[in-house]
Amino acid sequence: MFTIEPKVTLSYSAAKDVANIIKSAAELVDELAFTVTPESFKLVALDPSKIAMLIVELPPESFRDYKVPENLTIGVSASSILSILKHIKKS
């Protein structure tokens, strides 16, 4: 048996706000790029015609829990992340 440890741990007190930002970005683009570093959490979205760009950057102090030992960039399909958001339970 083995355990997979998460690379990063993020906990944001106003998760609905983050979900709304992601939903808004998904209306503009097909893919979202998340960059997480010890200094910040960043979402960058550029529409396919390269006319509109959305950049959201949050400092670690914005989070309840922020453990990021190394830089990590993740590209995610907007439709996939919207599908995931539908299944997240409120707590």
Side-chain angles (χ1 to χ4, degrees), residues 3-85:
T3 302
I4 299 174
E5 293 294 324
K7 279 198 163 265
V8 299
T9 302
L10 305 171
S11 177
Y12 193 75
S13 59
K16 188 172 183 171
D17 294 342
V18 174
N20 287 335
I21 291 168
I22 292 170
K23 288 175 187 176
S24 297
E27 290 181 17
L28 291 172
V29 299
D30 297 329
E31 293 221 355
L32 303 170
F34 295 93
T35 302
V36 186
T37 69
E39 293 80 31
S40 70
F41 171 89
K42 189 175 192 179
L43 163 66
V44 178
L46 177 65
D47 77 313
S49 62
K50 298 182 179 177
I51 294 173
M53 177 182 267
L54 172 68
I55 300 173
V56 177
E57 189 165 6
L58 301 171
E61 298 80 29
S62 300
F63 294 83
R64 274 190 288 178
D65 189 17
Y66 193 89
K67 294 177 186 159
V68 182
E70 61 188 57
N71 295 357
L72 178 67
T73 300
I74 304 167
V76 182
S77 156
S79 60
S80 295
I81 201 152
L82 288 175
S83 195
I84 291 167
L85 288 175

